[in-house]
Amino acid sequence: MLGKTAGGLYWMFRFLERCENTARLVEAGFRIALTRSNDPVSEWKSVVSTAGARSNYDAKYDTYEAAYVVDFLLRDTANPSSALSAVEKARTNARMVRTALTTEVWEAVNEGWMGIKETLKSPIKETDLPAVLGEIRRHSALVRGALHGTMLRNDIYDFTQIGLALERADNTARIIDVKYYTLLPSASFVGSTLDNVQWETILRSVSAHRSFRWLNDENMTPSSVADFLILDPRFPRSLSFCSRILEESLGFLAKDYGARFTCHDMISAQRDKLREHTIATIFDEGLHQFITAYIDDINAIGQQIEKDYRFIG
Amino acid sequence: MDLERRHFDEMLLSSDGVRAPYAEYQRWFANEDPSRLAKKSKEAEAFFRRTGITFNVYGQAAAQERLIPFDLIPRIIANREWTKLSKGITQRVCAINAFLHDIYHRQEILRAGIVPTELISRNEAFLPQMIGFTPPGKVYTHIVGTDLVRTGEDDFYVLEDNARTPSGVSYMLENRETMLHMFPELFSQIKVQRVSDYPKNLRRSLAACAPDRCVGKPTVAILTPGIHNSAYFEHSFLADQMGVELVEGHDLMVVDGHIAMRTTKGYKTIDVLYRRVDDEYLDPLNFNPDSMLGVPGIMDVYRAGNITIANAPGTGISDDKAIYSYMPDIIEFYTGEKAILKNVETWRCSEPDSLAYVLEHLPELVVKEVHGSGGYGMLVGPAASKKELSTFAAKLRRNPSNYIAQPTLSLSTVPIFAKKGLAPRHVDLRPFALVSPKGVDITPGGLTRVALKAGSLVVNSSQGGGTKDTWVLED
């Protein structure tokens, strides 16, 4: 496979995942803004931070109004990680690697791009927002489904999974990072509606509120939420899960190509680190420090993969 | 309507019937509900959009992707007609290869005084880098897309030879796919020759042209200028259909005297490069130094016999429209036979007498740039306004040798499916020929382009033309 193709597959799935994550963030923000007990401005602000778009946003707007934030995160092409920018880039990468995709996957991406572009043509009215966000997630699911059902499990598939897992890990980690203070055990908050709403938002922004309930009954404590998002091996957006997918996919490549590179050692080291921790030791060490280190690791691994597999010359 | 009747229609006779090749189709068509067909037509468009069969139009906003309109009435050619066409194309393609070899070697045709020397020596499409070099397998034009037009029952003309990098073959394939998808019943009733072997044949033909010293199965790749090129869809489509890599210049470099592509496992040698990048941009070390699309040093690898470039650099000279005017003589010179397919009468504006004639008859003529393609920069006299004519005449006087002129041919028509029923529109035909040391292989059919505006003679997709599926019947 061409190095460029591997890079195209990787970025295609990073951007697809980013598009979906952005939609989910907006959805969580929208819900919390609807609950009056809260401060919507700071809520939208943290949504923009989580999307990694603070500086771009502040350059354009002075206030964190729902309509502005929603528009900026979904439609604004000046925002490189808006849903529209992301789907556009995903589709451009898909065109570049067209020969590596099955017709089903290509058509799902192309149709998703056509549909989302059409839907986001004009500003979204508040009443239409849930339907629009639903459509974005649906397109994303269609691509994943086509991928799952039609692609050979070879190096092409591995690079898609690597892109997806990296983006997802980065996204979950950033959600935790922006909200880490609400997850810190603090006597004054416990049991208040405020922190419950906060945790609920966090879970919603990774589509995990239901899964969490199934696993934890009524026991919603900061440490159980953090444990779930970081260490639960069953939850497909937890850091532990994403790191496992990364290590596995890189492992398949190593076996397929008969060669291990630096990126393999890096991901193994990261997984070892995750395995050594419990949520208690993470809190002891400092949640914020732990997450920041994780994000740095993940980004370094991404850059190493680009080098090891010759994405660019 | 009277005006339309002066043209030869390939389907409808001036009496009520249809021409023989369309007889069975007409029987089917007469029983179809027009509203069902209109729905099918919409379906086809959605299908093209979904599969991404689009092209980019130069000079429009970036990333503009447009569909080439597809018309669902097929263009049907009888087997007998096709046999003659395919013989004529084979003859022409062989003569062009012999001509190219000759002008880059002994130049016998110039010595014999058949083609004027200055037409070659002063031609920018003539590449000195190719002098004395013979491409692997002695093949210059691996893929040719001859443009043909028809004016009557037995009157086919070659309009252009397109021996450089003809495009459009993906539409030939996708138009057929679309028809099979929409009207499967038609293909069980009417025996139409297959076009779907083209990608397999292309790969085989390219592999057969691999350098002599290539051992084992040759590695073939397609070189594209990138996703912003107007024909990018076709490049990726062909790579996909052939099962070969689609590379860009920055994926390639010279490694140990070979061209190699950067893969996830290191560099891998390419034996045959089907390039869809123009000569000028192919090698910044040997041609345009600013090119980002090519591979520095590829010409040196080529001349050392370590890669096949298809089509060979320097073939563009045979697409020169002034050279075209000598084609009947060129064919006779190399094959010893009369040309089977007719050339359109051509005035070379470089010649004072011709220029005078052309200026005097401008409103009746079609004037083209000698290196032009894609319908850009041409004048269709009968369709031009007084002002356009006088502007063009000034251009002609300023640089006569840049132009040739041809009579406005009364191109045949084939009906399109319009809102008000069948409506005749002018068409041309571009069959695709593959050349290797093993012979010339022409896919039965080709790309039929159709002018969608009533009376218009310009069929180019960049100028708003559409396409039709082209059927060659089995018997």
Side-chain angles (χ1 to χ4, degrees):
Chain A
M1 191 199 311
L2 292 177
K4 176 190 66 188
T5 307
L9 290 161
Y10 167 90
W11 283 110
M12 172 185 167
F13 276 83
R14 280 202 78 156
F15 283 121
L16 280 171
E17 182 67 21
R18 190 169 300 175
C19 178
E20 184 183 348
N21 289 340
T22 303
R24 209 179 268 114
L25 271 179
V26 170
E27 186 158 30
F30 184 60
R31 280 192 76 94
I32 204 162
L34 290 179
T35 53
R36 280 153 202 264
S37 60
N38 244 288
D39 169 12
V41 169
S42 72
E43 214 37 64
W44 282 121
K45 197 167 180 172
S46 76
V47 164
V48 174
S49 299
T50 313
R54 268 294 286 279
S55 57
N56 280 330
Y57 184 90
D58 291 343
K60 186 159 181 175
Y61 299 105
D62 296 329
T63 56
Y64 285 87
E65 286 206 31
Y68 296 162
V69 175
V70 168
D71 200 75
F72 188 74
L73 291 184
L74 294 183
R75 299 181 57 241
D76 200 331
T77 45
N79 170 14
S81 48
S82 72
L84 190 56
S85 301
V87 76
E88 190 84 49
K89 282 187 210 150
R91 197 257 185 177
T92 301
N93 277 287
R95 272 190 91 199
M96 203 174 83
V97 302
R98 175 66 188 85
T99 55
L101 304 173
T102 57
T103 308
E104 285 87 343
V105 173
W106 159 251
E107 288 188 3
V109 178
N110 197 40
E111 279 185 282
W113 169 74
M114 290 190 293
I116 293 173
K117 213 171 57 158
E118 179 65 26
T119 306
L120 297 182
K121 207 167 54 184
S122 38
I124 309 299
K125 279 189 254 138
E126 206 176 275
T127 46
D128 296 337
L129 191 59
V132 168
L133 297 172
E135 189 193 340
I136 294 174
R137 272 187 322 192
R138 215 164 26 250
H139 280 303
S140 185
L142 283 171
V143 178
R144 262 201 313 274
L147 183 85
H148 187 83
T150 65
M151 296 282 289
L152 292 176
R153 297 312 194 254
N154 56 10
D155 48 353
I156 294 175
Y157 189 80
D158 297 333
F159 283 112
T160 66
Q161 296 308 293
I162 289 168
L164 194 137
L166 259 169
E167 182 70 23
R168 200 175 271 184
D170 182 61
N171 182 62
T172 302
R174 273 187 294 111
I175 289 173
I176 302 171
D177 192 36
V178 170
K179 295 269 187 172
Y180 82 94
Y181 55 90
T182 66
L183 291 172
L184 293 177
S186 147
S188 63
F189 279 145
V190 174
S192 76
T193 43
L194 177 68
D195 52 15
N196 270 335
V197 169
Q198 288 286 359
W199 303 334
E200 177 111 23
T201 318
I202 295 176
L203 290 171
R204 271 190 191 281
S205 59
V206 288
S207 287
H209 48 295
R210 299 256 304 146
S211 320
F212 182 85
R213 289 249 169 73
W214 276 102
L215 295 170
N216 294 281
D217 300 325
E218 293 298 300
N219 179 27
M220 194 188 277
T221 64
S223 94
S224 67
V225 172
D227 188 24
F228 180 72
L229 294 176
I230 298 170
L231 296 173
D232 198 303
R234 297 159 297 184
F235 171 51
R237 293 177 181 274
S238 75
L239 304 187
S240 160
F241 188 96
C242 294
S243 289
R244 175 172 70 81
I245 298 294
L246 262 180
E247 190 181 29
E248 276 177 9
S249 302
L250 285 169
F252 293 143
L253 282 176
K255 213 170 132 198
D256 189 1
Y257 290 3
R260 271 181 73 88
F261 299 117
T262 314
C263 63
H264 295 97
D265 299 336
M266 291 168 77
I267 184 65
S268 297
Q270 194 200 45
R271 279 206 79 198
D272 289 344
K273 214 181 336 176
L274 279 171
R275 266 192 225 103
E276 284 160 13
H277 276 97
T278 63
I279 198 62
T281 61
I282 289 174
F283 277 120
D284 284 347
E285 214 178 86
L287 178 60
H288 182 60
Q289 288 81 342
F290 179 86
I291 292 296
T292 320
Y294 182 88
I295 293 174
D296 290 347
D297 281 354
I298 275 290
N299 288 332
I301 291 169
Q303 281 161 18
Q304 192 60 40
I305 292 169
E306 293 189 29
K307 255 185 242 148
D308 290 343
Y309 289 101
R310 303 174 175 85
F311 287 5
I312 36 185
Chain B
M1 207 55 206
D2 280 347
L3 188 108
E4 294 302 336
R5 277 297 169 215
R6 280 192 280 129
H7 305 287
F8 173 71
D9 193 277
E10 298 189 17
M11 178 173 179
L12 307 167
L13 296 169
S14 42
S15 57
D16 261 352
V18 296
R19 282 180 65 247
Y22 286 85
E24 279 187 81
Y25 180 77
Q26 165 63 22
R27 264 196 291 282
W28 174 87
F29 184 80
N31 287 320
E32 281 298 305
D33 172 6
S35 65
R36 182 180 101 101
L37 291 178
K39 221 174 103 202
K40 288 278 178 193
S41 185
K42 282 238 161 55
E43 260 175 51
E45 193 183 314
F47 172 77
F48 280 121
R49 279 232 185 263
R50 196 173 66 235
T51 46
I53 310 177
T54 56
F55 73 110
N56 304 338
V57 181
Y58 294 126
Q60 298 203 349
Q64 270 276 3
E65 290 171 36
R66 285 217 323 229
L67 288 184
I68 297 187
F70 170 74
D71 178 69
L72 53 79
I73 310 285
R75 198 261 188 94
I76 308 179
I77 298 168
N79 195 20
R80 175 187 54 79
E81 295 169 333
W82 177 253
T83 307
K84 184 183 166 193
L85 287 181
S86 105
K87 266 193 203 138
I89 295 168
T90 304
Q91 179 198 47
R92 231 174 141 97
V93 165
C94 291
I96 288 172
N97 271 282
F99 169 71
L100 287 165
H101 186 267
D102 186 27
I103 61 160
Y104 286 117
H105 292 82
R106 293 183 46 81
Q107 304 197 324
E108 302 281 2
I109 199 162
L110 307 186
R111 295 177 202 211
I114 290 172
V115 173
T117 308
E118 63 273 14
L119 210 51
I120 303 294
S121 58
R122 284 206 230 121
N123 201 312
E124 59 190 60
F126 180 77
L127 294 187
Q129 290 88 340
M130 290 297 288
I131 295 172
F133 173 72
T134 304
K138 226 177 151 180
V139 176
Y140 285 82
T141 64
H142 306 77
I143 300 119
V144 181
T146 317
D147 279 351
L148 300 167
V149 294
R150 184 175 200 176
T151 58
E153 190 60 57
D154 275 317
D155 302 307
F156 285 94
Y157 289 87
V158 174
L159 203 57
E160 286 177 17
D161 285 294
N162 293 321
R164 261 182 299 196
T165 40
S167 62
V169 76
S170 55
Y171 295 96
M172 168 182 90
L173 297 166
E174 287 292 45
N175 287 353
R176 176 63 54 82
E177 278 307 307
T178 307
M179 289 292 279
L180 280 164
H181 187 75
M182 291 194 301
F183 309 113
E185 74 278 13
L186 257 177
F187 292 87
S188 57
Q189 286 167 31
I190 305 173
K191 294 291 164 230
V192 179
Q193 297 193 40
R194 279 156 27 123
V195 296
S196 56
D197 289 338
Y198 180 84
K200 197 178 72 197
N201 294 342
L202 173 60
R203 182 167 181 168
R204 193 185 297 150
S205 186
L206 287 170
C209 297
D212 290 340
R213 61 185 76 154
C214 161
V215 282
K217 208 172 135 212
T219 302
V220 178
I222 298 183
L223 176 65
T224 174
I227 64 167
H228 300 298
N229 184 266
S230 70
Y232 178 77
F233 163 73
E234 176 156 303
H235 307 160
S236 74
F237 176 86
L238 287 175
D240 191 31
Q241 297 274 313
M242 285 201 285
V244 304
E245 291 292 358
L246 179 64
V247 298
E248 293 173 47
H250 57 82
D251 295 317
L252 305 179
M253 65 184 250
V254 179
V255 179
D256 300 332
H258 288 81
I259 295 297
M261 54 186 166
R262 193 183 70 251
T263 76
T264 48
K265 300 179 192 173
Y267 280 88
K268 187 176 180 208
T269 298
I270 295 174
D271 302 301
V272 182
L273 190 62
Y274 173 20
R275 49 84 180 226
R276 297 292 294 259
V277 168
D278 291 343
D279 285 356
E280 194 192 344
Y281 300 105
L282 199 52
D283 183 348
L285 290 182
N286 284 283
F287 306 119
N288 183 349
D290 299 329
S291 172
M292 305 290 284
L293 306 175
V295 192
I298 190 173
M299 276 305 282
D300 306 312
V301 173
Y302 184 52
R303 291 184 54 98
N306 285 336
I307 192 165
T308 297
I309 300 177
N311 291 351
T315 55
I317 189 145
S318 62
D319 282 358
D320 183 288
K321 294 191 172 70
I323 300 277
Y324 162 89
S325 65
Y326 291 97
M327 210 49 89
D329 304 324
I330 291 173
I331 292 168
E332 212 170 327
F333 185 76
Y334 295 109
T335 67
E337 299 161 8
K338 289 260 178 239
I340 298 169
L341 295 170
K342 284 181 261 192
N343 239 44
V344 181
E345 187 182 3
T346 302
W347 290 276
R348 295 180 282 268
C349 302
S350 56
E351 295 166 10
D353 289 354
S354 299
L355 177 65
Y357 177 89
V358 170
L359 286 170
E360 199 178 316
H361 294 86
L362 209 51
E364 303 150 31
L365 300 174
V366 175
V367 189
K368 299 174 180 172
E369 295 181 0
V370 289
H371 294 299
S373 67
Y376 292 100
M378 69 186 260
L379 174 88
V380 181
S385 68
K386 277 223 166 83
K387 188 158 170 254
E388 285 166 331
L389 287 171
S390 68
T391 318
F392 208 92
K395 275 204 284 189
L396 250 175
R397 279 196 197 90
R398 230 176 296 134
N399 187 8
S401 59
N402 192 38
Y403 297 94
I404 56 103
Q406 295 172 335
T408 310
L409 295 181
S410 148
L411 301 193
S412 62
T413 54
V414 175
I416 61 166
F417 184 73
K419 276 204 185 92
K420 290 181 185 154
L422 296 180
R425 292 291 183 275
H426 294 293
V427 293
D428 77 351
L429 174 65
R430 179 181 293 176
F432 293 92
L434 300 172
V435 187
S436 79
K438 293 180 177 154
V440 179
D441 177 81
I442 306 172
T443 302
L447 174 66
T448 290
R449 298 186 298 177
V450 54
L452 295 175
K453 262 191 279 170
S456 169
L457 292 168
V458 184
V459 296
N460 302 75
S461 52
S462 49
Q463 317 283 325
T467 67
K468 283 172 168 292
D469 188 19
T470 309
W471 294 5
V472 174
L473 301 179
E474 292 219 333
D475 48 34

